[in-house]
Amino acid sequence: MKFKTIIEPFKIKSVESLPITTPKERKSFLEREYWNVFGLKSQEVTVDLLTDSGTGSMSSEQWAAIMRGDEAYAGSHSWQRFHDVVADLTGYKHIIPTHQGRASEKILATVTVKEGDIIPSNSHFDTTRANFEFVKAEPIDLLCKEGLDLLSPAPFKGNIDLEKLEDILSRKGEKIPFVLMTITNNTGGGQPVSMENLKSTKKLCEKYNKMLLLDACRFAENAWFVSQREEDYKGVEIRDITKEAFRLADGCTISLKKDGFGNIGGILAFNDDQLAEASRNLLILTEGFPTYGGLAGRDLDALAQGLKEITDKNYLEYRARSISYLGEKALSYGIPIVQPAGGHALYIDAKTFVPHIPPHQYPGHSVACEIYLIGGVRAVELGTLAFGVAGANGEPDKPATHELVRLAAPRRTYTQSHFDYVAEVLEKLAESKEKLKGYEIIEQPEQLRHFTAKLRPLT
Ligand code: F0G
């Protein structure tokens, strides 16, 4: 029997109070922080949708696993349990634990990439891009055509453009150490990559003798969409889809703060012996001994358990539904969103929503501030404030391609009524859109300005 209501497939054992604030308080908190939501204290945020990274809730089995943690410096039992789960899931020969995704990226960039190299991807995440740029390589995004159209509801908008990939592999092959596929594609709106696209990418990599690597932070969410949207995979177990996806590639980086159900943790994995050896040598310098890599034994145990739980289809159904539910509500209020709703987040298209605010006055930022002012919900701007280039000598900024606002859902943390509350906030946002004003920056750092820039609303 199929029910209309998709319930949270868990019950709550431990709770944390949520702060309920007044509009006046919220205004004063934002004013105090020069209108930057990153400055807010978590006690000032009612529903925190800033990120789905490291913000999820652990299960009682994960907390029990924490107690099993073995803190031996080398060869701990926790490491063995972690290793066995990851090796079974991914099939890779060498598993290297790190403290989070970008630590894996840093090692990967150092051991595989040299100045002048080109790294093609469907879309690089910002830290991945920054790590490749740091070694003077050129990361390039080859997102498929459907992905470029924010509002089209195509099923696999995270795919790579295979024609463009073949073109660059044939012309610049000697400069390309590997191809990197991000599943799901965070930068492109949390959109999935199809198994068909992954298989075709693999074929091209074989043809041009290149490694295929995955940035697999959200591997389970990707597999869920594959099971729902790709004909050949309907009815296939999520675990089996996941295993197949990993086995199409030659290695991966993963931030376990996402689909590892962890508050911290990462993986770098390869089949190649030499790369693994070079990575482990660097790991010892920067992270720790190869059987703990920057993590406590107890973290490794919690992650091993989390990696078993994440492929539960009831959980994935509830998760995908929470986001698509919010998406349907947003659309019904006339708020344009990236379609279809992503795996971990809803993305509002601020450029279409508040066209009266030009990019250099940060429409996405204005929407994010308003969402906080209305209901204490924290979202993040992913537009010209985050990705634009500051204009020199009073010139306006060079705008980003899109002006998005991301509402990312932490895993297993909020319930249906929280999502209903967020929907109500969005309804009020839609009512007030005409009166939204742009912002100006009064102080900004040279890099990654959105984290610390000081702003003020234009009058
Ligand atoms: N790759 C992707 C696709 C990511 O989304 C992230 C992090 C990373 C790599 C880096 O992992 O944070 O553990 O170092 N994304 C977070 C976010 C920060 O909010 O989307 P990390």
Side-chain angles (χ1 to χ4, degrees):
M1 204 189 299
K2 188 88 185 143
F3 284 89
K4 259 200 342 274
T5 311
I6 294 164
I7 59 169
E8 289 84 8
F10 47 82
K11 57 184 179 175
I12 295 163
K13 193 166 221 151
S14 171
V15 298
E16 189 179 327
S17 303
L18 288 181
I20 309 287
T21 53
T22 63
K24 198 168 151 213
E25 283 169 340
R26 293 194 285 273
K27 185 158 181 253
S28 73
F29 298 147
L30 260 191
E31 242 161 17
R32 184 197 66 209
E33 297 305 331
Y34 295 91
W35 305 90
N36 190 327
V37 295
F38 282 96
L40 296 169
K41 299 181 178 127
S42 70
Q43 314 89 280
E44 295 162 351
V45 179
T46 304
V47 180
D48 203 345
L49 305 183
L50 189 66
T51 177
D52 66 320
S53 181
T55 50
S57 305
M58 289 209 291
S59 66
S60 51
E61 289 300 324
Q62 284 184 284
W63 284 109
I66 290 257
M67 292 306 294
R68 271 198 300 278
D70 170 12
E71 304 304 339
Y73 190 90
S76 78
H77 205 172
S78 299
W79 158 248
Q80 295 161 45
R81 284 188 284 260
F82 175 84
H83 178 271
D84 290 352
V85 171
V86 178
D88 175 63
L89 183 72
T90 65
Y92 300 130
K93 191 169 167 197
H94 301 284
I95 315 286
I96 298 165
T98 62
H99 82 275
Q100 67 180 89
R102 67 199 74 182
S104 305
E105 292 160 6
K106 170 81 186 157
I107 295 173
L108 175 70
T110 312
V111 302
T112 59
V113 181
K114 54 184 189 320
E115 187 170 342
D117 279 356
I118 296 171
I119 323 286
S121 174
N122 47 348
S123 299
H124 292 272
F125 181 66
D126 20 335
T127 57
T128 327
R129 166 176 295 282
N131 270 302
F132 294 142
E133 282 172 352
F134 190 74
V135 292
K136 302 198 162 52
E138 189 192 348
I140 54 166
D141 292 345
L142 303 175
L143 189 61
C144 65
K145 282 189 203 75
E146 309 87 89
L148 298 173
D149 177 358
L150 296 182
L151 306 181
S152 90
F156 289 105
K157 288 168 77 173
N159 283 351
I160 199 166
D161 184 321
L162 293 161
E163 266 174 39
K164 286 190 186 152
L165 179 61
E166 172 135 39
D167 177 58
I168 190 113
L169 283 167
S170 63
R171 285 189 300 108
K172 303 267 175 79
E174 77 290 351
K175 291 192 162 193
I176 298 176
F178 56 83
V179 174
L180 184 70
M181 281 286 257
T182 310
I183 60 170
T184 56
N185 188 335
N186 185 4
T187 313
Q191 301 294 324
V193 173
S194 71
M195 292 298 280
E196 193 191 352
N197 190 254
L198 210 51
K199 284 181 200 163
S200 304
T201 306
K202 169 72 178 170
K203 275 207 193 107
L204 284 178
C205 287
E206 276 170 352
K207 180 170 169 192
Y208 291 93
N209 201 18
K210 300 293 167 200
M211 281 196 302
L212 170 61
L213 300 181
L214 301 180
D215 174 347
C217 296
R218 300 178 179 85
F219 64 86
E221 287 167 14
N222 201 77
W224 168 257
F225 286 124
V226 166
S227 80
Q228 298 301 299
R229 298 180 187 171
E230 199 165 351
E231 215 40 61
D232 289 354
Y233 289 86
K234 290 203 168 138
V236 180
E237 290 292 328
I238 302 291
R239 197 96 191 153
D240 294 337
I241 300 174
T242 301
K243 286 185 172 183
E244 190 182 335
F246 277 119
R247 281 159 183 77
L248 284 170
D250 305 290
C252 70
T253 64
I254 311 183
S255 164
L256 293 171
K257 299 171 76 172
K258 285 84 172 172
D259 277 353
F261 267 144
N263 301 119
I264 198 74
I267 297 173
L268 176 61
F270 297 112
N271 285 329
D272 186 283
D273 296 335
Q274 277 173 354
L275 284 182
E277 193 189 333
S279 300
R280 285 200 183 99
N281 288 340
L282 189 54
L283 186 86
I284 295 179
L285 279 184
T286 56
E287 291 279 291
F289 191 70
T291 65
Y292 72 85
L295 293 166
R298 65 178 83 97
D299 295 328
L300 291 168
D301 258 311
L303 291 166
Q305 177 60 28
L307 287 168
K308 288 187 205 159
E309 294 174 8
I310 195 73
T311 44
D312 171 14
K313 67 175 185 328
N314 295 327
Y315 156 74
L316 288 166
E317 181 180 30
Y318 135 81
R319 177 154 178 80
R321 184 60 196 137
S322 312
I323 318 263
S324 63
Y325 174 81
L326 204 56
E328 285 163 18
K329 292 277 183 191
L331 285 173
S332 75
Y333 309 137
I335 301 177
I337 57 161
V338 174
Q339 294 192 51
H344 65 294
L346 187 75
Y347 294 69
I348 296 175
D349 176 7
K351 202 187 270 179
T352 313
F353 182 54
V354 283
H356 59 283
I357 306 178
H360 65 274
Q361 293 178 5
Y362 317 114
H365 179 73
S366 173
V367 170
C369 285
E370 188 67 13
I371 289 175
Y372 177 74
L373 291 171
I374 293 171
V377 175
R378 179 155 63 170
V380 65
E381 189 258 16
L382 296 174
T384 296
L385 181 58
F387 304 129
V389 181
N393 313 321
E395 294 285 306
D397 291 351
K398 184 168 170 277
T401 320
H402 301 301
E403 302 294 338
L404 300 179
V405 181
R406 186 181 78 170
L407 293 97
R411 291 170 181 73
R412 295 191 297 211
T413 303
Y414 294 118
T415 64
Q416 176 66 31
S417 75
H418 293 116
F419 287 108
D420 276 325
Y421 174 81
V422 175
E424 220 179 306
V425 170
L426 294 183
E427 189 176 13
K428 292 183 175 25
L429 170 76
E431 286 160 13
S432 63
K433 73 168 189 172
E434 311 290 339
K435 74 167 178 50
L436 258 60
K437 299 246 162 57
Y439 281 73
E440 67 177 338
I441 294 181
I442 48 181
E443 211 178 295
Q444 58 183 312
E446 252 171 50
Q447 264 146 10
L448 296 172
R449 63 180 181 174
H450 59 299
F451 292 123
T452 54
K454 294 181 176 172
L455 296 106
R456 81 173 147 230
L458 294 163
T459 45

